[in-house]
Amino acid sequence: MGEGLVATARAQGAALAYELVGMTTEGDRILDQPLDKIGGKGLFIRELDRAMLAGRIDIAVHSCKDLPTELDPSVRIGAVSAREDPRDALVLPVDAPAAVAETFDVIAAYVARTGLPVGCSSARRRVQLQRLMPGVSVASVRGNVNTRLAKLDAGQYGALVLAAAGLKRLGLGTRMSYVFAPYQMLPAAGQGAMAVTVAREADASLCALLEAYSNDEAALCVAAERAFTRALGGDCATPCGAYAEVHDAELCLEGLYAEPDGSVLVWRSGRVIVDAAGPDGAYGAAAYKAAEACAERLASEVREALDGGR
């Protein structure tokens, strides 16, 4: 463990002392270039992985959507949190008239009149925005949420698209002018959930604590979403989205993949039964296998459709 804030908590009936170690990665430092041009999401986790494998930290906490689909072989996801709001939100400048937020069509017309771009750094959001708001330009925006909001309110953008979960966790939910339904703008794999990574050779007691924290349904859905993205070779430069829910022992998966310029966009849906196996209702290996097989079938359908649309 490194130097940081020392605190205590209780887990599984035991008192634990833990230390929060803040880390600034290369991805945090380079803010003047699009993420896909400087190494992708891996910039945010490589340094944390190295610190973990060197024993300087025991675990790392990430927004699940920011994890690359291919992790360092020495690292795995040890837990997935219960999911916050998985949707994307459109944020208007703080001085925008309140009446503008009545409907999406009114919002889109308002943003178009400003002549300013919509700020987002995600290829997935960009290609979907181009279809939802034709004629409105989209421009990259980097920095943490408060930095992006400051740029918006300073007049650099007509609107931003941000993850609803991040805004809510920061107490900024009131800044959301419109929240896209998943059928309008498909989220990124894992969006809304936090992922805790741990070394594959980590102490068994630590792994047991993480397993007790992990949310079974969120972990299963995230595994399916990441399997879909991985099967298509998706990364931060790829317009790729995935979202899964479980209803009455059936996992429902939506997947999207597009050409980088948005000229061809394919959206497919799949379903599979994922009965819980354990007496505690936890999903077993068979459920994960079924969910990932469903994701791979969906990815195969998308590849075929993309090939036909080229």
Side-chain angles (χ1 to χ4, degrees), residues 7-279:
T8 59
R10 298 192 67 82
Q12 294 182 302
L16 300 176
Y18 64 92
E19 184 180 359
L20 296 176
V21 181
M23 296 184 66
T24 301
T25 68
E26 188 176 2
D28 299 307
R29 292 187 289 270
I30 303 176
L31 298 177
D32 59 349
Q33 300 179 57
L35 189 58
D36 60 304
K37 303 297 183 185
I38 57 174
K41 293 178 180 177
L43 283 177
F44 292 99
I45 71 164
R46 289 186 200 119
E47 292 172 55
L48 277 71
D49 286 348
R50 287 197 291 268
M52 190 187 314
L53 297 173
R56 296 197 302 276
I57 60 175
D58 299 306
I59 60 174
V61 181
H62 308 268
S63 290
C64 196
K65 72 179 180 64
D66 293 334
L67 281 179
T69 54
E70 297 289 350
L71 299 178
D72 184 305
S74 300
V75 173
R76 67 179 181 86
I77 296 177
V80 174
S81 74
R83 210 163 199 171
E84 231 308 353
D85 193 330
R87 299 172 296 173
D88 287 303
L90 190 139
V91 181
L92 293 176
V94 70
D95 60 357
V100 168
E102 288 181 356
T103 68
F104 178 71
D105 288 343
V106 174
I107 290 173
Y110 171 82
V111 175
R113 288 196 301 273
T114 70
L116 296 169
V118 176
C120 75
S121 296
S122 159
R124 170 191 61 83
R125 289 172 177 156
R126 185 186 68 245
V127 298
Q128 294 186 85
L129 276 171
Q130 288 169 344
R131 294 185 172 229
L132 291 167
M133 303 174 71
V136 174
S137 63
V138 181
S140 176
V141 57
R142 295 287 313 283
N144 62 33
V145 170
N146 286 318
T147 297
R148 297 185 192 198
L149 290 174
K151 292 178 179 179
L152 170 70
D153 294 336
Q156 296 182 38
Y157 300 90
L160 298 178
V161 177
L162 299 167
L167 289 165
K168 289 182 176 182
R169 288 181 177 127
L170 292 170
L172 296 170
T174 57
R175 288 300 309 260
M176 297 188 294
S177 301
Y178 183 83
V179 181
F180 295 97
Y183 67 82
Q184 288 179 296
M185 181 176 289
L186 200 63
Q191 188 159 313
M194 305 299 291
V196 183
T197 55
V198 63
R200 288 193 179 276
E201 303 301 323
D203 180 80
S205 61
L206 173 60
C207 294
L209 283 173
L210 294 178
E211 288 173 8
Y213 162 77
S214 191
N215 181 275
D216 293 323
E217 184 171 314
L220 180 67
C221 289
V222 165
E225 294 162 12
R226 286 174 58 79
F228 173 82
T229 306
R230 185 168 52 249
L232 289 166
D235 58 25
C236 72
T238 307
C240 185
Y243 180 59
E245 293 180 333
V246 176
H247 300 287
D248 299 325
E250 185 178 55
L251 182 134
C252 307
L253 176 64
E254 303 277 339
L256 171 150
Y257 196 91
E259 296 286 10
D261 64 359
S263 59
V264 180
L265 185 151
V266 180
W267 189 317
R268 291 291 184 271
S269 304
R271 297 171 179 268
V272 66
I273 298 299
V274 287
D275 288 323

